Every structure is written in structure tokens, then in C-alpha cells.
């Protein structure tokens, strides 16, 4: 759920016309809301407004988005909802790591349930993600640039997910001592040929074509396509029926797609090799097979394996355990397990250490504890996907 690795800060290059950015020197809300006339109805547009931090998702953003999406859902004149990010470098490159770090520093000896900020942030973020999955109104996400962690959580449940040639999607939590949360357990389990295991363990970035192949996106639009998209949305004669609106939006987007897709990306190119590595019944065998790719001649595969080897062994075990236990469960059930596991990560030190190494001291030399995969067996993982709550689980109401 959290912010993508710091490479996202340096490798994105502006290339796409996108939602407007706040004027310099003016105080602007964390999320910009707008409604535009569209035939006899209206389109609701929510724009994450923190381009300097690649629209990293904060608790303030979550608390603005949730009630507005509910309001639009209840308004029969809202024909579609658009989620976008300000600037042209990212839709959303992750979440509020600095806020979590402060919470962990100040409450280092607290039980997982007593980390007040972390519990509040994860609970409300997961509730927002769950709501997006279940909105009846069509939801379109403009997934430009970096879409990582928390950005994936916002995008995953949208009914119409757009990527662009500059899009890069990833769940890189293994590098910070977390795991693919925000429903990542549910989403990655649906990637073909055990590719979700690979993405969880390596944090590998997917380009647009690969994101569509993996089921993380639906449409590839050309660079500079924002204006054409808005014009099409505003000039469409939207039907009254909600189901018909979904089909109407699909036809509209299909007509705007790039006429020709580029060559297969590295994920799709190597999917049979990835499947061979990740189809093992046990994490240890999969880890060994992926580790052997660290010297692969394709730099994308080699970097993925090297990222896994440098990542937190506990994160790998948690991701694996959650996908094992998440099979056949509802999204709500999975989010409850992910909340418990995320709070364990906060209380036990790896997430704090990962953030320190990546964003605070920036030495990129995290000291993971547990330090090796041998220290984190299945029982270790299973003990960390459940918490004993004194009352009902905070997300007990999620169906």
C-alpha cells in the first residue's frame, strides 16, 4: 500500500497531458473535486493534488475521497466518476510512509492494535479501497506515470482502468518491510500463471501492455489523451440505466485506445519462465528459483531477483501466507487479514527499518529482522495475519 521505491522519484519523465496542477504559492486542498456537465448528467472528477510527492496517498486524502465518492454514488445524475492525479508524473506512487514512521518512533513498544495512527490510516484506506470495488457508478482511473502501492489500491477496484505509455505499475513493499496490501492479496492472486507471486516477491514494475496482460489495467490510451477523454465524456449521451452506463463507457474507451499496441513487455515475454519459478508449492523453492535469475541477461528479470534478495524475508513470508490463506475468501475477509498483518509489520520493526533505510537515512542498507528466509516459516506467517481484538474487528462490517 505504501509508497513505491525511491526510484520512482527520479525515473519518471513528464510526457502526458493530465489534470491541472495547483498554482505555485497557493494553498490547495489535498484532493480537488469537480463536476462537469455530460449530456443530461454530470461527471464527478477527483484529482489527488500532491504532485511534488507523486500524489502519495495521505490520511487527509482518504478522508476527503471516501465521503465524496459515497455522495456521488447516491446522486443519480452522476453518470461516471473519474480518479486522477495532478501533474504528469504519477497517478499515485504510494502512501504516507513518513506519517507511519513517526507513529512507530513515538510508540515503539506499543502492541499492534495500539498504534493509533497506523491503525487509523490502514483501516480508513482499506475501507476506501473496498468501497471503490463495490460502487455501482462507473469509476474510471487515469493511471498515468507511477501507480504503486496505495495507488494500486485505488485503481484495482475501478470498473475502467486506463494506463498510458509512461505508466509503471508495481507493488514494491518487500523493499520497505511491508507486503502487497490494499487488497493486493486479492488482486495478485488473479494474475495469470502465478505471476502475482512473482510481483509480490520482487516488486517488479510493469509497463502498460504488461499491466493489461496481468489484469491490473483495462485500456491503453495514447499520450496526450486526457483532453480527448474529457471531451468524449462530456459529449456522450449517457443512458439512465447504471449497467448501460458501464457499457457506454467501455465503448467510449475502446474507441480512444491506441490503434496499435507496442511489443510485449518483459513480464509477458518471460511469463513461462516466471510460472516455472513460481508454481512451487513452497516459498523456499520459489525463492531459490527466482534467486537464480539475479544474473539473467535480461536486466528487468535480473533486477527483479536482486530486489527480492535485498528485501525483507518477513515480507516475502507474509505475502506468501496471505495468498495461501486468501484463496476463495472475499475481499472484505482479505482486507481484515491484511490490516492485522500490516499492524504486525509496524509493531515488530521491519517497516520502520525499511522506511529508515529508504527515506530517512537513505543508506539503502536495511537490517531486517528476521534476517533470513529460514527464520520465517509458515507458522511465523500464520501467527501474523491474525490479531486478538477486544471487540469486533475494525473492518468487520466489510462484506
Amino acid at each position: 500500500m505504501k509508497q513505491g521505491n525511491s526510484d520512482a522519484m527520479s525515473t519518471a519523465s513528464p510526457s502526458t497531458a493530465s489534470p491541472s496542477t495547483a498554482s505555485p504559492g497557493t494553498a490547495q486542498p489535498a484532493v480537488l473535486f469537480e463536476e462537469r456537465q455530460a449530456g443530461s448528467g454530470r461527471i464527478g472528477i477527483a484529482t489527488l493534488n500532491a504532485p511534488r510527492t507523486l500524489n502519495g496517498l495521505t490520511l487527509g486524502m482518504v478522508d476527503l475521497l471516501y465521503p465524496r465518492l459515497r455522495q456521488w454514488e447516491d446522486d443519480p445524475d452522476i453518470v461516471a466518476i473519474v480518479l486522477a492525479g495532478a501533474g504528469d508524473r504519477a497517478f499515485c506512487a504510494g502512501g504516507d510512509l513518513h506519517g507511519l514512521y513517526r507513529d512507530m518512533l513515538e510508540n515503539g513498544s506499543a502492541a499492534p492494535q495500539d498504534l493509533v495512527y497506523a491503525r487509523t490510516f490502514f483501516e480508513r484506506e482499506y475501507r476506501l479501497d473496498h468501497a471503490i470495488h463495490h460502487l455501482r457508478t462507473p469509476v474510471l482511473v487515469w493511471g498515468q506515470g507511477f501507480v504503486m502501492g496505495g495507488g494500486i489500491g485505488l485503481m484495482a477496484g475501478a470498473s475502467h482502468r486506463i494506463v498510458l505509455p509512461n505508466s509503471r505499475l508495481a507493488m514494491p513493499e518487500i523493499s520497505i518491510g511491508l507486503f502487497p496490501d490494499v487488497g493486493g492479496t486479492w488482486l495478485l492472486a488473479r494474475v495469470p500463471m502465478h505471476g502475482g507471486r512473482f510481483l509480490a516477491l520482487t516488486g517488479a514494475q510493469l509497463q502498460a501492455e504488461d499491466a493489461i496482460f496481468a489484469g491490473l489495467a483495462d485500456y491503453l490510451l495514447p499520450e496526450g489523451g486526457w483532453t480527448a477523454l474529457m471531451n468524449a465524456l462530456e459529449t456522450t449521451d449517457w443512458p439512465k440505466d447504471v449497467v448501460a452506463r458501464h457499457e457506454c463507457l467501455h465503448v467510449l474507451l475502446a474507441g480512444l485506445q491506441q490503434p496499435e499496441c507496442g511489443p510485449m513487455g518483459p513480464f509477458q515475454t518471460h511469463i513461462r519462465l516466471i510460472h516455472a519459478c513460481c508454481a512451487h508449492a513452497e516459498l523456499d523453492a520459489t525463492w531459490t528459483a527466482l534467486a537464480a535469475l539475479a544474473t539473467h541477461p535480461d536486466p528487468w528479470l535480473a533486477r527483479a531477483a536482486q530486489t527480492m534478495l535485498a528485501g525483507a524475508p518477513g515480507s516475502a513470508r507474509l505475502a506468501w501466507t496471505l495468498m495461501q490463506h486468501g484463496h476463495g475468501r472475499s475481499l472484505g475477509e482479505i482486507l481484515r487479514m491484511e490490516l492485522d498483518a500490516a499492524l504486525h509489520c509496524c509493531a515488530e520493526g521491519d517497516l520502520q527499518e525499511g522506511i529508515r533505510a529508504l527515506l530517512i537515512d537513505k543508506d539503502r542498507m536495511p537490517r531486517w529482522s528476521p534476517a533470513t528466509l529460514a527464520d520465517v516459516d509458515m507458522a511465523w506467517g500464520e501467527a501474523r495475519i491474525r490479531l486478538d481484538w477486544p471487540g469486533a474487528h475494525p473492518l468487520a462490517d466489510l462484506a
Side-chain angles (χ1 to χ4, degrees):
M1 150 235 149
K2 295 299 147 269
Q3 193 159 0
N5 61 43
S6 60
D7 291 343
M9 295 294 188
S10 59
T11 61
S13 58
S15 59
T16 307
S18 58
S20 60
T21 305
S23 300
T26 60
Q28 293 287 330
V31 183
L32 303 175
F33 295 106
E34 179 184 5
E35 294 182 9
R36 296 189 186 182
Q37 198 68 32
S40 59
R42 304 189 314 281
I43 299 164
I45 306 171
T47 304
L48 304 181
N49 189 35
R52 290 184 178 180
T53 60
L54 301 185
N55 301 312
L57 190 67
T58 65
L59 182 58
M61 288 177 173
V62 171
D63 287 345
L64 289 169
L65 280 168
Y66 186 85
R68 183 59 66 97
L69 294 184
R70 288 296 191 191
Q71 176 187 328
W72 281 339
E73 169 79 345
D74 293 336
D75 187 339
D77 291 330
I78 294 294
V79 297
I81 296 169
V82 176
L83 300 180
D88 47 17
R89 297 183 64 202
F91 164 58
C92 174
D96 185 17
L97 294 181
H98 287 91
L100 288 171
Y101 187 75
R102 288 192 296 271
D103 186 38
M104 290 182 285
L105 280 182
E106 294 168 4
N107 302 282
S109 60
Q113 301 95 319
D114 296 331
L115 291 166
V116 176
Y117 178 82
R119 173 179 168 177
T120 301
F121 183 90
F122 286 117
E123 177 187 342
R124 293 183 186 174
E125 182 188 26
Y126 294 3
R127 192 173 292 279
L128 171 63
D129 296 332
H130 187 270
I132 293 172
H133 276 266
H134 292 86
L135 292 177
R136 299 182 304 276
T137 304
V139 179
L140 180 157
V141 168
W142 181 254
Q144 66 177 347
F146 288 106
V147 186
M148 297 184 177
I152 295 285
L154 295 176
M155 189 172 180
S159 56
H160 299 73
R161 303 165 298 176
I162 293 173
V163 286
L164 301 139
N166 76 335
S167 296
R168 296 294 181 269
L169 281 69
M171 296 292 279
E173 286 81 2
I174 193 167
S175 295
I176 57 166
L178 195 59
F179 57 90
D181 64 330
V182 292
T185 302
W186 184 91
L187 180 67
L188 295 182
R190 285 156 174 77
V191 178
M193 299 181 74
H194 292 301
R197 292 179 176 180
F198 173 83
L199 297 175
L201 295 173
T202 68
Q205 292 186 16
L206 300 180
Q207 60 190 45
E209 292 88 350
D210 276 343
I212 293 173
F213 171 77
L216 275 60
D218 307 303
Y219 307 91
L220 174 57
L221 266 61
E223 295 182 5
W226 175 259
T227 300
L229 172 64
M230 288 295 104
N231 287 339
L233 292 174
E234 292 171 31
T235 57
T236 292
D237 185 15
W238 291 90
K240 296 292 186 183
D241 179 70
V242 171
V243 175
R245 287 173 179 174
H246 279 266
E247 177 63 19
C248 180
L249 182 54
H250 165 68
V251 172
L252 183 158
L253 293 173
L256 293 174
Q257 286 198 98
Q258 287 200 155
E260 297 181 3
C261 290
M264 287 193 302
F267 181 71
Q268 190 172 358
T269 299
H270 296 296
I271 190 59
R272 293 190 182 279
L273 174 58
I274 289 169
H275 177 262
C277 291
C278 297
H280 297 284
E282 300 297 334
L283 172 59
D284 301 67
T286 293
W287 182 280
T288 299
L290 290 176
L293 301 179
T295 57
H296 195 278
D298 186 324
W300 182 84
L301 267 182
R303 181 179 181 183
Q306 292 160 11
T307 299
M308 181 194 75
L309 292 171
S315 294
R317 175 56 70 185
L318 277 175
W320 187 273
T321 304
L322 283 162
M323 282 192 276
Q324 295 288 94
H325 283 262
H327 182 72
R329 295 182 183 271
S330 70
L331 178 62
E333 290 174 307
I334 285 172
L335 288 171
R336 287 191 279 277
M337 289 193 296
E338 289 184 351
L339 176 62
D340 292 1
L343 292 177
H344 270 295
C345 290
C346 292
E348 295 182 5
D350 261 5
L351 180 55
Q352 180 177 330
E353 174 62 11
I355 297 172
R356 179 207 63 77
L358 182 69
L359 296 179
I360 308 303
D361 297 336
K362 300 181 181 180
D363 58 27
R364 293 180 176 267
M365 297 180 63
R367 296 177 291 274
W368 304 121
S369 178
T372 70
L373 197 64
D375 299 323
V376 286
D377 59 12
M378 196 66 174
W380 184 96
E382 289 175 342
R384 284 158 179 80
I385 62 171
R386 295 283 189 277
L387 279 172
D388 293 325
W389 295 94
H393 193 283
L395 298 178
D397 59 310
L398 298 188

